[in-house]
Amino acid sequence: MEKAIVVAYDKNRAIGRNGDLPWGRSLPADLAHFKKLTKGGNVIMGRKTFESIGSRPLPERENIVISSRPTGVKKVLTAMNLRSALALSRYPTFIIGGSQVYKDALDTPEIDTIYATEIDVEFPDADTFFPKLDMTVWEEVSRTYHPTDDDNAYAFDFVTYKRK
Ligand SMILES: NC(=O)c1ccc[n+]([C@@H]2O[C@H](COP(=O)([O-])OP(=O)(O)OC[C@H]3O[C@@H](n4cnc5c(N)ncnc54)[C@H](OP(=O)(O)O)[C@@H]3O)[C@@H](O)[C@H]2O)c1
């Protein structure tokens, strides 16, 4: 069963600012890509990421939140750490952040794919980052360019990395 990281970051690997995405809702093509990838699967996220999406489960996916306390939200599973979250997963599984959860996932050999959206811009006031990839461990296997258009404020690449 697939186990993958899904992340979007800027040129400095920034993923967050003030509890939200630095680019806000300005990349609908990336949100559509995220939905298509993760639909029907398990999504695993940290408690702050869960709060950032409105403390509601993402629809059409089984949601698992990593936290030291239960969320108290119906239809959301809680796990104390990534290992326990993976043990609860029943479907193709997507690790969707934030930074500590990504760090743990990069150190977990069974998570062997990264679906990254690499945004061609720098957000100077970001406060949350994706770790730098160790390219002795990961290799790029595909890259698709998406230009700026009427709906999407920045150009970006959809990139897939596989664990070697
Ligand atoms: N660009 C992207 O792709 C992307 C993706 C996801 C999030 N984000 C952004 O990133 C920010 C949120 O990320 P974040 O890094 O601040 O927080 P986070 O990882 O989402 O949540 C941190 C919380 O998760 C729990 N947790 C995480 N790892 C744990 C571990 N190993 N053991 C126990 N508990 C653990 C703890 O919850 P408790 O304190 O409840 O115990 C911790 O306080 C937001 O700005 C969000 O918009 C961006």
Side-chain angles (χ1 to χ4, degrees):
M1 194 90 77
E2 175 164 39
K3 291 185 178 62
I5 289 170
V6 187
V7 61
Y9 49 73
D10 79 354
K11 282 181 162 182
N12 300 316
R13 320 189 78 76
I15 63 166
R17 177 177 59 193
N18 291 336
D20 201 352
L21 302 173
W23 45 92
R25 301 291 166 265
S26 63
L27 292 175
D30 183 51
L31 293 180
H33 174 76
F34 175 83
K35 186 166 184 190
K36 193 170 166 208
L37 260 179
T38 57
K39 211 169 140 182
N42 277 106
V43 284
I44 296 178
M45 71 196 94
R47 191 255 307 162
K48 291 181 187 171
T49 296
F50 182 61
E51 287 174 359
S52 82
I53 61 170
S55 299
R56 288 178 276 112
L58 290 172
E60 300 172 75
R61 284 147 282 193
E62 189 167 76
N63 290 237
I64 305 175
V65 174
I66 301 178
S67 176
S68 45
R69 305 183 287 137
T71 62
V73 178
K74 261 190 218 157
K75 293 200 201 158
V76 172
L77 303 173
T78 311
M80 295 287 279
N81 51 45
L82 180 61
R83 173 87 3 242
S84 325
L86 289 171
L88 291 173
S89 293
R90 303 182 290 165
Y91 306 112
T93 297
F94 302 96
I95 318 304
I96 62 165
S99 56
Q100 182 59 47
V101 182
Y102 284 141
K103 253 185 223 127
D104 293 346
L106 290 170
D107 290 336
T108 303
E110 65 191 290
I111 299 167
D112 61 0
T113 306
I114 302 170
Y115 297 110
T117 302
E118 300 189 346
I119 306 166
D120 195 17
V121 66
E122 294 182 57
F123 293 92
D125 44 357
D127 56 26
T128 318
F129 295 84
F130 187 73
K132 187 160 167 49
L133 284 184
D134 178 351
M135 295 311 289
T136 66
V137 175
W138 296 93
E139 64 182 337
E140 182 179 317
V141 296
S142 76
R143 179 177 288 268
T144 310
Y145 177 67
H146 190 293
T148 307
D149 59 26
D150 286 350
D151 297 322
N152 295 277
Y154 311 104
F156 57 82
D157 287 338
F158 289 132
V159 189
T160 305
Y161 296 94
K162 287 275 184 193
R163 205 179 276 278
K164 286 180 184 170

